[in-house]
Amino acid sequence: KVKMEHPNKESKIPPPLEERNTIFIRPIPLTLEEKDLQEWIETVNDVNVVSCRIIRTEKGESRGFAFVDLETKEMATNCADALHDQIYKEKRVSVKLSKPPSKNQSDPST
């Protein structure tokens, strides 16, 4: 049901961002695993996680942020609203809808 990506495995190219219902989460604990992130996201009512991707270095270490694809744009919006600025594993997290990349921006949420 849910696609979990392994840090040492090449991932498939995701669909274009405008077709995805993706949230961007940071900071996350460096030791967090995808299954733990998924469980936390699913504490929001009526949310179906499609995939969780913790962004990692070439050595497989977490970079401290993640993208989560949800089934619908409404689910993504509700999830971002419910979880933004909450404390998770002793960290206050920012949860926002992911935006398509801009050529002039270096923010990983865009």
Side-chain angles (χ1 to χ4, degrees):
K1 176 184 167 186
V2 174
K3 179 180 155 190
M4 301 276 185
E5 298 198 15
H6 189 274
N8 296 329
K9 197 176 192 182
E10 276 191 45
S11 61
K12 295 179 182 175
I13 297 172
L17 282 173
E18 60 273 6
E19 296 175 15
R20 291 170 40 200
N21 307 306
T22 305
I23 57 174
F24 171 76
I25 305 167
R26 80 169 170 194
I28 60 170
L30 299 179
T31 58
L32 188 70
E33 295 296 326
E34 282 83 353
K35 67 180 178 59
D36 301 317
L37 181 61
Q38 178 185 342
E39 288 172 5
W40 180 60
I41 297 297
E42 289 177 342
T43 63
V44 176
N45 290 335
D46 300 320
V47 167
N48 295 320
V49 174
V50 175
S51 69
C52 293
R53 294 177 318 284
I54 294 175
I55 306 307
R56 300 181 184 278
T57 65
E58 290 179 7
K59 294 180 180 181
E61 299 165 342
S62 173
R63 293 186 56 204
F65 62 95
F67 291 92
V68 178
D69 295 318
L70 299 155
E71 204 168 89
T72 67
K73 189 72 156 184
E74 182 180 5
M75 286 180 191
T77 300
N78 291 343
C79 191
D81 290 344
L83 299 177
H84 179 70
D85 211 27
Q86 298 296 312
I87 302 293
Y88 178 64
K89 305 248 185 208
E90 301 179 7
K91 289 187 180 267
R92 184 171 302 277
V93 295
S94 172
V95 181
K96 299 180 180 181
L97 291 174
S98 182
K99 300 174 196 165
S102 170
K103 292 179 183 177
N104 297 328
Q105 293 180 337
S106 61
D107 183 353
S109 72
T110 59

